[in-house]
Amino acid sequence: MTQRLVVIGNGMAGARTVEEILARNGDFTVTMFGDEPYGNYNRIMLSNLLAGVESEEGIYLNDLAWYQDNGITLNAGVRIERIDRFAKMVYATDGTATPYDKLIIATGSYSWTPPIKNIHNPKRGFHQGVFAFRTLDDTRGMIRYARDHERAVVIGGGLLGLEAARGLQNHLSDVTLLHAMGHLMERQLDEKAGHMLQASVENKLGIKVITNAMTTEILGKDRVTGVKLADGTVIPCDVVVVAAGIRPSTQVAADSGLTVERGIVVDDQMRVQDEDDIYSVGECAQHRGNLYGLVAPLWDQAKVLADHITGRDTEAAYTGSKLSTKLKVAGIDVASMGLIAPETDDDEVIIYNEPKKGVYKQLIIREGALVGAILVGDNSKAASLIQSFDRVQALPEERAELLFDIGGPAGEVKPEDMPDDAQVCNCNGVSKGAICGVVNAGCKTVSGVMDKTRAGKGCGTCKPLVQRIVEWAAGGEAEEDPAASWYVPGVPMPKPELMAAIRKYELKSVSAVFDKLVAGGEHDAKSKMGLASLLKMMWADQYVDERDARFINDRVHGNIQKDGTFSVVPQMKGGVTTPAELKRIAEVAERYNVPMVKLTGGQRIDLLGIPKEQLPAIWADLDIPSGYAYAKSFRTVKTCVGSDFCRFGVGDSTALGIAIEERFQGLEGPGKMKLAVTGCPRNCAEAYVKDLGVVAIDGGKWEIYVGGAAGAHIRKGDLLATVDSAEEVIRLTGRFLQYYRENANWLERTYAWVPRVGIEKIRAVVVDDAEGIAEALDAAIEEAVQAYKDPWKERAVPATPGQFRTSLPLTVLPQVPVRS
Amino acid sequence: MTIAPIAKTILGPIDEIPFGEGRTYAVGPDMIAVFRLRDGSLRAVSAVCPHKGGPLADGQIDNKVVVCPLHLYAWDLSTGCSQSGQPPISVYPVRVDDGHIILGD
């Protein structure tokens, strides 16, 4: 049966709650009463209206048509003065009485006026020239009045006062802000941050700020001429704006006999204490002793109330909100959450202070969790801090990462600030709008969105941003994807479990894994390559090679290019070649009309644009082993000339690089392995940014760095060990690579794996043999090394029928441009 | 889904295609990729990826989809529908008869 729902209050809380109820198809006829003669508008935007950056039309949340369209009776400008909770009626000042079955009180707050002599005019309410800053009418009046005057005083140095002061500057030239407390925004900021904000407000905005300023009197009879402070100071002015705080509007509730303490007392369903059919939501509601003056808690309350009242989920419960704010206060970034000062001796306090720039950051950490943060002047880390604060996430060991982007790109982009057509994934050209479209269509997992749009599937650097956008578009939280921990998407197991199952059932081929470990035996194309790599690592020569499990590159041992041709890269260990080899490569290039000959970043020669069917012949003519420029495998060892010719080289990097490459050539792994050896710390071979880089240092020693990267991601490797001999370098290299092969996730490069596992742990296992597995690692890598066969020898007899047959359509494809 | 009509053509012996792989055949003006699934059945689709012209026969498959080797977009082998918001590809009737691949009805 349709029930009568009456809502007292047509502000953000009341209207939002009705929206939520409508969204749940609640069976109600809705009548709303609002004090103000308008539809509902976004009160937060009044600051923007005052500052002239927003128009009145722009601040409406629902215009009058919305009420009509949804069959809501709106009594705008009608005030309810009494509720009869026994007769279930509300009485308005215009004499009307309206019955209800369910009642929602969302009367919000009013602007509080401190006791100041002469602030009221007995006939007119406020003295002419004195304004509150709470409603659209307040703002309109203020703008009208300020335009014709020159000097304004704002009373109140909280958020609203700062916004008012900033906005008034748009209309007059001289603004003074008075704050009764010792520093600005004392509820959100500690003293240092408050002073920092004050300095920015004064120096950057030119607003005069006086703290500890107790206003006692408004001066002037017919019009305001100034204000007087407790210490006798007189500040001449024409306009006074009072923004000293808000108080919950509870009068009607209290007059009607409802339980009111500081606010209207409600339970976890937002039901007024001891009432069955009366609810309260928003700033006027007191929940578990707390009053909330921010929108985020209000949204949560509205949802719970709507779930409950519509019967969608009668058990829905609001359990309170953790408060965080992230704003531009008067044009200056400010964010605050949780505690503003430590409470116990064990609370960790981390402070960064850069007064000249107006930057101040403070974190309070308790038992490894973020319990408070203040940011002034730089909000770039606010989003991630709020996330840590809300969800009590584990914090990075390097606490500085919480405050700064270390090594990464500066500044975190906020999804809400991005235009829809902003490109998020620069590899696959995916826009923010495309991601939101997929989320809105119901796909709310990050990996699901990545699959559908391919965003984040190129170089991968945009993944964190993709995640933030998905979370934002999903309304705060993305759904957990159970597959996130799986080694490959088609087999529901993380790597250690998967390896254990493979060993237990002796699964030696990719199809055997699917048949045994996937429900219904369903095969998955996107999982094949990862499984093939894993099985080959685990079983070495016992691995049953199914060619269809290989990616095309690994089937024909070349790297597929955008036009479907392949690139051929002969081995050139350590970047060293001979005139005879060079000649041979040149002759082959000429003979096959190779469209482009290019030096690679790994010190080799790339013959680009080779049709698949020509591969066997070109390999035969080259008669050089494969340089492995395609697989997820050991690629090259970049070297400098080292001690042979270099005046500075202290170690024979060339010889060591060649030795390493000879030993580990073709070794497959979860990701590419790019190495380097450099003959001195000048680093000509860029060894600090390789998966494994070796640096010769004075005294015949070598440093080994691991987990470096200089691709889409940039990271300096961590020092694994300093050793005395080339043999020791080779031994530790093999052990490290094997440990990586066995433990990293599929496609997880060392630059992600090393920091994930931690260099201390890796050093303990690889160098100090803390787990007693060093011998096993050495044996496993030896077995893998012995299994190496040059894949280009496959040329004589194809491994499968048509292995090298063209798959190129005869139609013209986009051609790779050829440079002359 | 679009099953494109095509004249009956004998493409060649089934042994030309290893299990789990695909090969491209020229049929008149069309290039058609034929895949032999691990369950032994065949699928035939247009050979060119509509995204950037990739050779689909070089892609990896399972019993449902083909993944283009260039940018890893996936299409359903039975319907031609994209799983990743790309235009669909054409699918063609294909079967094995007496050890030969027969395209068309």
Side-chain angles (χ1 to χ4, degrees):
Chain A
M1 199 190 77
T2 303
Q3 297 197 82
R4 292 165 299 189
L5 174 67
V6 168
V7 183
I8 307 175
N10 184 35
M12 298 175 74
R16 179 65 168 233
T17 306
V18 171
E19 278 183 52
E20 294 285 350
I21 291 171
L22 293 175
R24 287 161 181 73
N25 297 316
D27 189 13
F28 294 105
T29 54
V30 184
T31 305
M32 299 184 76
F33 290 89
D35 254 4
E36 298 179 57
Y38 310 108
N40 76 93
Y41 59 85
N42 186 342
R43 209 174 290 284
I44 300 163
M45 301 296 272
L46 290 177
S47 300
N48 287 352
L49 186 63
L50 181 63
V53 297
E54 187 63 80
S55 65
E56 282 197 11
E57 299 76 57
I59 72 169
Y60 277 97
L61 294 169
N62 291 307
D63 56 17
L64 295 174
W66 176 79
Y67 296 88
Q68 243 160 28
D69 295 347
N70 288 291
I72 299 167
T73 308
L74 173 65
N75 298 289
V78 179
R79 189 187 185 93
I80 296 296
E81 58 179 3
R82 195 166 62 86
I83 302 161
D84 185 332
R85 37 202 257 273
F86 304 106
K88 290 195 169 183
M89 299 283 277
V90 296
Y91 298 94
T93 44
D94 64 359
T96 55
T98 310
Y100 67 82
D101 296 307
K102 299 278 179 194
L103 177 69
I104 296 174
I105 305 173
T107 43
S109 302
Y110 64 91
S111 177
W112 178 69
T113 313
I116 295 172
K117 192 176 165 193
N118 201 27
I119 198 166
H120 290 288
N121 177 310
K123 289 177 206 149
R124 287 196 301 260
F126 271 136
H127 192 302
Q128 184 175 6
V130 177
F131 298 90
F133 186 28
R134 178 70 191 164
T135 65
L136 182 53
D137 284 344
D138 289 341
T139 313
R140 282 177 176 171
M142 210 187 305
I143 292 172
R144 227 175 5 242
Y145 198 84
R147 265 189 210 137
D148 306 329
H149 293 85
E150 279 168 14
R151 297 163 301 177
V153 160
V154 176
I155 298 172
L159 172 61
L160 207 59
L162 282 156
E163 294 282 10
R166 175 63 168 159
L168 284 166
Q169 281 193 306
N170 194 41
H171 305 286
L172 37 68
S173 55
D174 190 317
V175 180
T176 304
L177 182 67
L178 306 179
H179 191 43
M181 310 302 282
H183 66 269
L184 297 177
M185 291 185 74
E186 81 283 351
R187 301 270 286 279
Q188 291 88 11
L189 304 181
D190 69 350
E191 199 178 330
K192 250 208 170 110
H195 289 149
M196 183 76 67
L197 178 63
Q198 178 175 344
S200 294
V201 167
E202 290 182 318
N203 301 331
K204 287 186 188 160
L205 307 179
I207 293 170
K208 285 182 250 68
V209 178
I210 305 175
T211 52
N212 294 313
M214 188 69 78
T215 312
T216 52
E217 189 176 349
I218 306 284
L219 303 176
K221 197 152 191 245
D222 297 327
R223 50 177 204 87
V224 173
T225 58
V227 300
K228 193 174 185 181
L229 306 186
D231 63 2
T233 314
V234 170
I235 301 160
C237 67
D238 325 300
V239 186
V240 174
V241 173
V242 181
I246 54 172
R247 295 288 183 273
S249 299
T250 56
Q251 195 66 47
V252 66
D255 287 351
S256 308
L258 301 179
T259 308
V260 175
E261 291 172 4
R262 285 190 301 145
I264 303 167
V265 180
V266 296
D267 64 13
D268 286 357
Q269 280 73 46
M270 307 313 293
R271 196 168 20 199
V272 175
Q273 185 173 309
D274 301 326
E275 298 296 328
D276 290 333
D277 300 311
I278 306 180
Y279 300 82
S280 181
V281 70
E283 289 177 337
C284 59
Q286 176 183 326
H287 173 266
R288 296 192 185 182
N290 292 317
L291 296 162
Y292 294 100
L294 293 171
V295 287
L298 188 164
W299 290 175
D300 294 339
Q301 294 176 356
K303 279 184 195 160
V304 168
L305 204 171
D307 274 341
H308 179 78
I309 206 170
T310 57
R312 167 75 60 99
D313 176 5
T314 50
E315 300 298 306
Y318 175 70
T319 54
S321 299
K322 286 183 134 185
L323 291 186
S324 56
T325 45
K326 183 182 65 164
L327 319 139
K328 266 204 189 313
V329 180
I332 295 157
D333 283 329
V334 173
S336 164
M337 62 207 79
L339 300 184
I340 61 176
E343 288 179 339
T344 72
D345 290 343
D346 293 335
D347 285 352
E348 276 179 77
V349 184
I350 295 158
I351 295 176
Y352 176 80
N353 191 4
E354 196 181 354
K356 266 230 164 102
K357 268 197 186 161
V359 173
Y360 176 82
K361 306 180 181 195
Q362 176 190 280
L363 304 180
I364 301 175
I365 296 169
R366 182 178 298 165
E367 287 166 11
L370 186 68
V371 293
I374 292 172
L375 304 174
V376 175
D378 175 8
N379 264 2
S380 56
K381 299 297 279 183
S384 58
L385 286 173
I386 289 177
Q387 196 169 330
S388 301
F389 172 71
D390 278 346
R391 303 185 194 169
V392 198
Q393 284 171 337
L395 303 179
E397 272 311 303
E398 200 63 64
R399 301 295 202 222
E401 285 173 26
L402 287 163
L403 294 176
F404 310 98
D405 287 303
I406 296 171
E412 201 173 69
V413 196
K414 294 174 222 146
E416 59 266 41
D417 294 346
M418 296 173 69
D420 257 8
D421 58 358
Q423 185 155 302
V424 174
C425 175
N426 293 326
C427 293
N428 292 323
V430 184
S431 67
K432 173 194 163 190
I435 293 173
C436 293
V438 171
V439 175
N440 293 335
C443 175
K444 291 183 168 45
T445 65
V446 176
S447 55
V449 169
M450 284 171 60
D451 277 346
K452 285 212 158 61
T453 61
R454 301 213 50 73
K457 295 238 172 178
C459 70
T461 48
C462 65
K463 259 197 244 173
L465 180 57
V466 172
Q467 167 145 14
R468 288 203 296 279
I469 293 173
V470 171
E471 285 175 353
W472 172 76
E477 221 161 316
E479 284 167 17
E480 279 290 320
D481 179 7
S485 65
W486 301 350
Y487 175 69
V488 288
V491 185
M493 291 179 183
K495 186 169 181 176
E497 219 175 288
L498 177 63
M499 286 175 70
I502 287 171
R503 257 189 224 106
K504 178 175 170 200
Y505 298 112
E506 299 198 6
L507 307 172
K508 294 181 180 168
S509 72
V510 170
S511 58
V513 172
F514 288 127
D515 292 343
K516 185 79 193 174
L517 301 182
V518 182
E522 194 150 322
H523 290 215
D524 175 53
K526 291 180 179 178
S527 303
K528 287 180 165 184
M529 195 182 170
L531 288 176
S533 160
L534 183 68
L535 291 171
K536 194 165 182 195
M537 191 264 292
M538 291 176 68
W539 297 113
D541 57 350
Q542 288 183 60
Y543 165 62
V544 178
D545 180 19
E546 292 167 336
R547 302 294 291 206
D548 67 303
R550 300 183 180 200
F551 186 61
I552 184 66
N553 286 359
D554 304 322
R555 279 187 239 165
V556 302
H557 320 295
N559 196 346
I560 193 165
Q561 306 294 317
K562 68 189 274 189
D563 61 352
T565 63
F566 292 81
S567 77
V568 168
V569 179
Q571 188 176 60
M572 201 170 278
K573 289 178 240 171
V576 176
T577 182
T578 63
E581 256 186 12
L582 274 180
K583 224 186 205 164
R584 200 157 357 119
I585 293 170
E587 281 165 2
V588 167
E590 262 189 356
R591 195 175 311 144
Y592 290 85
N593 291 316
V594 171
M596 187 191 257
V597 180
K598 186 172 182 323
L599 299 184
T600 71
Q603 300 183 332
R604 297 177 292 186
I605 294 175
D606 197 352
L607 305 175
L608 287 144
I610 314 295
K612 200 203 295 181
E613 61 275 22
Q614 281 186 359
L615 288 172
I618 208 166
W619 293 338
D621 287 3
L622 281 170
D623 199 24
I624 303 175
S626 167
Y628 275 91
Y630 39 88
K632 300 298 172 203
S633 69
F634 179 97
R635 295 293 177 90
T636 50
V637 182
K638 218 173 163 171
T639 63
C640 64
V641 295
S643 51
D644 275 0
F645 287 85
C646 179
R647 291 174 296 136
F648 305 107
V650 293
D652 190 350
S653 55
T654 313
L656 179 52
I658 292 171
I660 294 175
E661 187 157 347
E662 240 160 31
R663 177 157 173 82
F664 300 111
Q665 58 193 339
L667 185 72
E668 289 180 64
K672 290 181 275 196
M673 292 164 270
K674 297 180 170 182
L675 284 68
V677 183
T678 199
C680 77
R682 284 176 185 75
N683 194 27
C684 293
E686 299 158 357
Y688 293 113
V689 288
K690 292 293 178 184
D691 292 293
L692 185 143
V694 184
V695 181
I697 57 172
D698 208 18
K701 290 178 188 295
W702 302 90
E703 289 177 334
I704 304 174
Y705 289 85
V706 295
H713 187 94
I714 299 175
R715 181 177 193 271
K716 188 190 176 205
D718 298 325
L719 182 64
L720 176 73
T722 305
V723 299
D724 294 330
S725 67
E727 291 70 37
E728 187 66 4
V729 170
I730 291 175
R731 199 167 60 86
L732 287 183
T733 297
R735 209 183 279 169
F736 169 80
L737 291 179
Q738 183 62 21
Y739 191 47
Y740 164 66
R741 275 159 40 102
E742 290 184 11
N743 289 284
N745 292 320
W746 176 234
L747 302 182
E748 183 178 36
R749 291 284 301 271
T750 63
Y751 64 73
W753 178 74
V754 169
R756 177 166 71 82
V757 175
I759 185 65
E760 291 79 16
K761 167 87 186 287
I762 293 172
R763 188 182 297 126
V765 172
V766 171
V767 183
D768 306 327
D769 193 17
E771 294 183 2
I773 59 169
E775 207 175 310
L777 292 172
D778 291 347
I781 198 79
E782 180 63 28
E783 190 182 12
V785 163
Q786 293 307 326
Y788 169 75
K789 284 193 201 84
D790 175 21
W792 285 2
K793 297 276 189 195
E794 225 173 53
R795 60 196 179 236
V797 185
T800 56
Q803 181 186 4
F804 297 107
R805 219 178 84 180
T806 183
S807 288
L808 279 179
L810 300 177
T811 48
V812 181
L813 282 173
Q815 296 289 307
V816 174
V818 175
R819 288 163 221 271
S820 51
Chain B
M1 90 182 240
T2 41
I3 296 200
I6 196 153
K8 182 173 166 181
T9 319
I10 299 172
L11 296 181
I14 183 68
D15 300 344
E16 280 185 351
I17 311 179
F19 284 106
E21 292 192 45
R23 296 287 182 258
T24 302
Y25 295 85
V27 182
D30 299 317
M31 296 297 295
I32 292 174
V34 179
F35 294 91
R36 190 181 187 189
L37 309 190
R38 282 210 153 256
D39 67 10
S41 64
L42 296 182
R43 300 283 185 276
V45 300
S46 42
V48 187
C49 165
H51 169 233
K52 292 271 166 106
L56 289 181
D58 280 348
Q60 283 188 287
I61 62 164
D62 50 34
N63 286 340
K64 282 189 182 143
V65 301
V66 57
V67 182
C68 175
L70 293 193
H71 303 100
L72 310 185
Y73 287 106
W75 281 265
D76 190 301
L77 282 169
S78 302
T79 66
C81 292
S82 164
Q83 293 192 333
S84 39
Q86 298 295 314
I89 53 176
S90 301
V91 296
Y92 301 93
V94 65
R95 64 198 152 92
V96 192
D97 192 2
D98 196 21
H100 282 77
I101 307 162
I102 315 287
L103 190 72
D105 294 316

